[in-house]
Amino acid sequence: MVFLASACDWADERQNHPPPLHTNPLHFSGTFLQLVPEAHSQWTQTQWARLFCYFRTLGVKQLIIQWSAFNDQNSTFPYGPGLPVIRPELKTVLELADQYKIKLYVGLNHDAGYWKRIGLDVHSVKTYLQNLNEKNVQLARISTPFLQSHRSFSGWYITDEIDDVNWNTKEKRELLINYLQSLSSQLHQLTPGKKIALSGFSNAALSPEQMTEFWYDLLSRTPIDVILFQDGVGVHKLTLEQLPAYVDAVHWATEFAHKKFYVIVEVFQQIAGSPINNQPFKAVPAPLDRILKQMKIASLYSPELWAFSIPDYMTPDAGDDARHLFGYFRAQRNLAQAIDRYNRNKRHQHNSLSSSEAISSAN
């Protein structure tokens, strides 16, 4: 499938007056996409093409589809005793990722009851994780042939997020590690050479030192390849003052365990939902100055920055505040590319001068 370049031109021309440049040209190279059947099944190919043009404009090179089955209902990958019916929107995403050379990590089963179930007693959690493991492996097994046909498919994302509240007893921690070890091993067997990614966050329930110990124990005993740490600022789990110590803690755990580490910058601000009130979750794009502070902290530890999430909070189609963020980071990306070109030219001039001096000396 080839998508018209006019959608990309349209995306670029929407931004005529970007805000002033920041002195540090940080940008996001990864983000998440939450496929919601009720919404995305209605999208046209033009809408999908426009989204990927936004990704290209911002320099996004990696994308995680957060889940591929939602509550075993309305699934992006409906699965059962027969072969799955691959929904058109997922096919479109994979084809566009192929076209734009974006590395794609595919999430597994999402269970909206996950947080409630992992808070139960040890026996109940053990049974739940065993069933979840079977569902995830089944989903991955029937999805693999389809995914392997796309060069953008780079690995799996384990949808279950890891916090520092529910796994603090020895018994529950062992259950978690056994679950992740079993699931990751089977995913590696299904798709050799593909990476497995996992994300987590902190509620500041453990000290930074305890966080390092917890994550090192988990990572040293499981074949997970990539850890993405959610900074938690958007949902008020960590403050900007607390953030450096906790990012540093998980970063050291990944260093000791020889895993890749990235920081997810939450580019939204929660305004409703638990623990703020009893209303459904609601968020809006975060203020730019706060995002820049988050990025500055994250960049000290993360070789590439991830945003949660560009489709929801940082495109011209998501409202005025999101359009403002898109314009700013578009300008930042342009600045970064200009600096790269300048440095390449300087290196080329230096190499040419060195070659000329060497020839003159020889003569």
Side-chain angles (χ1 to χ4, degrees), residues 69-85:
F70 193 93
N71 278 353
D72 301 343
Q73 307 289 328
N74 299 323
S75 301
T76 302
F77 278 124
Y79 58 101
L83 292 175
V85 177

Side-chain angles (χ1 to χ4, degrees), residues 8 47 74 91 93 98 119 135 170 172 237 274 285 291 319:
C8 299
Q47 287 175 292
N74 299 323
K91 290 183 179 180
V93 169
D98 291 344
K135 290 180 180 180
K170 181 179 179 180
K172 282 197 173 181
K237 292 186 179 297
S274 178
I291 294 174

Side-chain angles (χ1 to χ4, degrees), residues 209-343:
E209 293 78 13
Q210 291 171 322
M211 282 286 286
T212 301
E213 179 184 355
F214 167 67
W215 277 99
Y216 175 73
D217 189 24
L218 186 155
L219 294 174
S220 64
R221 296 169 58 190
T222 60
I224 291 167
D225 304 291
V226 180
I227 295 301
L228 300 108
F229 182 73
Q230 305 167 31
D231 70 9
V233 175
V235 287
H236 313 292
K237 292 186 179 297
L238 293 177
T239 66
L240 286 169
E241 291 72 27
Q242 292 172 311
L243 182 59
Y246 282 92
V247 176
D248 184 67
V250 182
H251 173 256
W252 275 115
T254 61
E255 285 286 302
F256 295 146
H258 307 291
K259 311 290 185 177
K260 286 189 176 181
F261 176 74
Y262 301 107
V263 177
I264 304 170
V265 175
E266 294 182 347
V267 297
F268 63 88
Q269 181 169 291
Q270 182 183 358
I271 60 173
S274 178
I276 298 174
N277 54 38
N278 294 326
Q279 298 177 15
F281 178 86
K282 184 178 181 180
V284 296
L288 176 60
D289 61 342
R290 197 206 77 187
I291 294 174
L292 294 177
K293 292 175 182 177
Q294 294 167 256
M295 295 177 75
K296 184 176 181 180
I297 294 169
S299 66
L300 299 175
Y301 303 93
S302 183
E304 298 176 1
L305 301 182
W306 287 66
F308 190 91
S309 72
I310 289 173
D312 296 306
Y313 305 107
M314 199 184 288
T315 73
D317 298 337
D320 290 341
D321 291 338
R323 183 181 299 111
H324 172 77
L325 293 178
F326 179 85
Y328 178 86
F329 285 104
R330 175 176 180 258
Q332 291 291 84
R333 178 60 177 162
N334 291 341
L335 175 60
Q337 290 176 321
I339 291 173
D340 287 342
R341 287 193 297 269
Y342 173 80
N343 289 334

